[in-house]
Amino acid sequence: MRRTQHWFEPARFGLFVHWGPWARAGWEASWPLVGGVVTLPMGQDIPAETYHANADGWQPDPAAPEAWIAAAAAAGMRYAVLTTRHHDGYALWPSRHGDHGVAKTAPGTDVVGAFVAACRRHGLKIGFYYSLPDWHHPAYPAFTDAMRPYVFGGYPVPSAESWAAYQAYLRGQITELLTDYGPIDMIWFDGAWERGAEMWDVDGLERMIRQLQPDILINDRLPGHGDFATPEQFVPPEPPAEPWETCLTMNMSWGFNAKDDHYKSPAALVHTLCEVAGRGGNLLLNIGPDGEGRIPPPQAARMAEFGRWMSRHGEAIIGTGAGLKSWQFPGPTTLKGTTLYCHLLMQPVAPVSVRGVPVQHLKRVSVLGHEASLLFETRIPVLDELMHVDGPGEVVIDVPMALRDPAATVLVLEFDCDPARSDPAAPSTETMA
Ligand code: GLC
């Protein structure tokens, strides 16, 4: 069994939380410090000194994670990933390594501890985002205004001595995170692009991590390693061969930005979850709480819409596998045993067809969340019918208006064999005789 099969693949839906001192100013996470990045057009450009000064005196509310995780559980999410330390180096737990984080600006506060406790209370799996680069640490070395513009691929090379010090710091922090909070389910690295796999000593890091937490999952941003791929802001048209998770913002920012109102609609986000599950992947959907830890109202509204939709349709997402090929139904499909879920992301103007399925084994069709069985018709090639071939055919279903969901309607097709079975069975000897 693959490591990801235990909980990650069945989970399908998780919460990403980007939170740090940047939130109190309404700035994007870390990137303003280096002058911004084209992929985050709503981000700012803030001089280094001003950027770091914003962290002074920030008192993150340790009650905030409880509200995020309660909202995640209500939305049908099964795990959560928190930015324990982003590229700007600010640690959300009282680290004994380095001098930048809650230990200094808010003594006695442990956001990571509160997050872990909330996840355990609500039964969500626990993930730690951790940036390999630290743009504040002198041995990294810290990013200064003189290094602008930030160029991908062109980084200051630290002396061997500095790099050894940075490695010790990095390992010290990761060890704390993976020792002080009990079993942790996932570590989500980021930023490896700034140094080669060799400099990060990815093999050594992985060994250390698996020793501390034998069951942990590691994302693929530890180059050459990792249990799952992480397409960002993008649903792959063809699913990657390995397990995968798309991380996605609701607007155009990871961090809190009241001015960013470029939101995807609630229905579009539900559709993305259906598309991702239909390709056998996970969706890690982001919130960027404000400086006080509150979920911004447009994001809370989208979480609530997921709650509404998932309470009725969760069984078509959680614990399912990828469904049929794209020509077989005009929308994503998911599979659980012999049950096929067909996700209708558009309002059909005529009866819909499911093609290439073993129609003679179809026992019942219904709309998820409604008791009634629907009438359906089946068609198979004429010759197959005459010869009693138990081959694939098509199902035609008229979806009653009254049973349609405003975001996405799910048809449930119950078979008595694998609906994705590809080899048409030979004519049975019984019927031949
Ligand atoms: C990017 C960004 C970072 C963000 C991450 C989430 O790599 O550098 O700001 O946290 O994506 O996937």
Side-chain angles (χ1 to χ4, degrees):
M1 206 179 188
R2 277 195 302 267
R3 249 188 233 117
T4 46
Q5 284 175 304
H6 295 285
W7 67 266
F8 176 79
E9 292 181 55
R12 286 289 175 254
F13 193 24
L15 179 73
F16 212 170
V17 185
H18 272 68
W19 204 43
W22 62 75
R24 70 192 302 213
W27 295 336
E28 180 54 273
S30 303
W31 286 101
L33 162 62
V34 301
V37 63
V38 288
T39 49
L40 297 167
M42 297 301 290
Q44 304 75 7
D45 179 347
I46 313 287
E49 202 181 316
T50 316
Y51 181 91
H52 291 307
N54 173 61
D56 295 339
W58 184 49
Q59 303 284 323
D61 180 359
E66 169 57 31
W68 310 331
I69 302 306
M77 294 165 163
R78 293 300 172 97
Y79 63 107
V81 181
L82 170 68
T83 51
T84 62
R85 203 211 72 198
H86 207 261
H87 313 324
D88 69 358
Y90 185 95
L92 284 180
W93 78 101
S95 177
R96 299 177 290 281
H97 300 269
D99 66 348
H100 195 43
V102 286
K104 195 162 155 212
T105 79
T109 302
D110 183 354
V111 179
V112 172
F115 169 77
V116 167
C119 287
R120 297 221 166 96
R121 259 193 306 277
H122 291 278
L124 268 70
K125 297 286 182 187
I126 303 162
F128 290 164
Y129 168 108
Y130 185 83
S131 165
L132 291 162
D134 182 330
W135 295 338
H136 178 272
H137 198 284
Y140 184 65
F143 192 90
T144 64
D145 295 343
M147 295 175 186
R148 289 172 171 223
Y150 180 92
V151 180
F152 277 81
Y155 312 101
V157 180
S159 67
E161 204 182 15
S162 292
W163 192 244
Y166 186 73
Q167 289 274 41
Y169 156 76
L170 186 82
R171 282 164 167 67
Q173 286 206 325
I174 295 173
T175 302
E176 285 175 342
L177 285 171
L178 301 187
T179 308
D180 296 352
Y181 300 99
I184 299 305
D185 304 293
M186 174 194 287
I187 185 153
W188 211 103
F189 285 113
D190 196 18
W193 68 80
E194 287 201 344
R195 304 279 187 270
E198 208 175 299
M199 267 187 93
W200 293 120
D201 179 22
V202 289
D203 297 343
L205 262 180
E206 184 184 13
R207 263 197 311 278
M208 182 188 99
I209 293 164
R210 299 226 185 267
Q211 231 158 43
L212 296 171
Q213 296 276 345
D215 298 325
I216 202 166
L217 299 180
I218 308 177
N219 71 341
D220 69 344
R221 298 190 184 189
L222 195 61
H225 292 264
D227 299 299
F228 60 95
T230 52
E232 181 172 330
Q233 301 283 42
F234 185 70
V235 179
E238 288 294 334
E242 62 275 28
W244 59 281
E245 172 200 71
T246 279
C247 52
L248 190 81
T249 53
M250 294 186 188
N251 55 0
M252 292 171 81
S253 309
W254 295 104
F256 170 69
N257 180 351
K259 296 198 184 98
D260 180 357
D261 58 2
H262 299 276
Y263 278 97
K264 297 159 187 92
S265 74
L269 289 169
V270 169
H271 290 189
T272 302
L273 177 62
C274 299
E275 298 270 10
V276 163
R279 288 170 172 75
N282 285 16
L283 177 63
L284 186 65
L285 186 64
N286 185 69
I287 57 168
D290 68 13
E292 310 290 309
R294 293 171 301 222
I295 304 177
Q299 300 183 13
R302 282 155 179 80
M303 296 289 281
E305 170 62 359
F306 272 108
R308 181 198 72 78
W309 191 82
M310 285 291 282
S311 64
R312 178 166 277 177
H313 302 96
E315 83 165 69
I317 300 287
I318 295 165
T320 62
L324 306 176
K325 299 189 182 70
S326 55
W327 57 263
Q328 294 185 272
F329 182 72
T333 54
T334 51
L335 257 179
K336 196 185 279 173
T338 55
T339 303
L340 177 69
Y341 299 97
C342 299
H343 302 239
L344 267 179
L345 309 187
M346 290 180 243
Q347 294 293 353
V349 294
V352 292
S353 293
V354 187
R355 298 174 204 275
V357 291
V359 289
Q360 293 173 47
H361 297 267
L362 178 58
K363 298 299 158 200
R364 191 173 111 92
V365 176
S366 56
V367 172
L368 193 54
H370 298 276
E371 284 299 312
S373 294
L374 296 190
L375 294 176
F376 60 89
E377 282 174 23
T378 61
R379 297 175 189 152
I380 58 171
V382 168
L383 207 58
D384 283 1
E385 194 169 353
L386 295 173
M387 300 294 286
H388 301 285
V389 173
D390 179 14
E394 83 182 59
V395 188
V396 184
I397 305 156
D398 200 357
V399 188
M401 270 298 184
L403 304 188
R404 296 183 189 181
D405 183 273
T409 307
V410 178
L411 301 173
V412 188
L413 277 66
E414 296 167 59
F415 292 83
D416 68 6
C417 72
D418 176 9
R421 156 185 115 166
S422 54
D423 55 318
S428 73
T429 40
E430 201 181 302
T431 48
M432 292 283 280

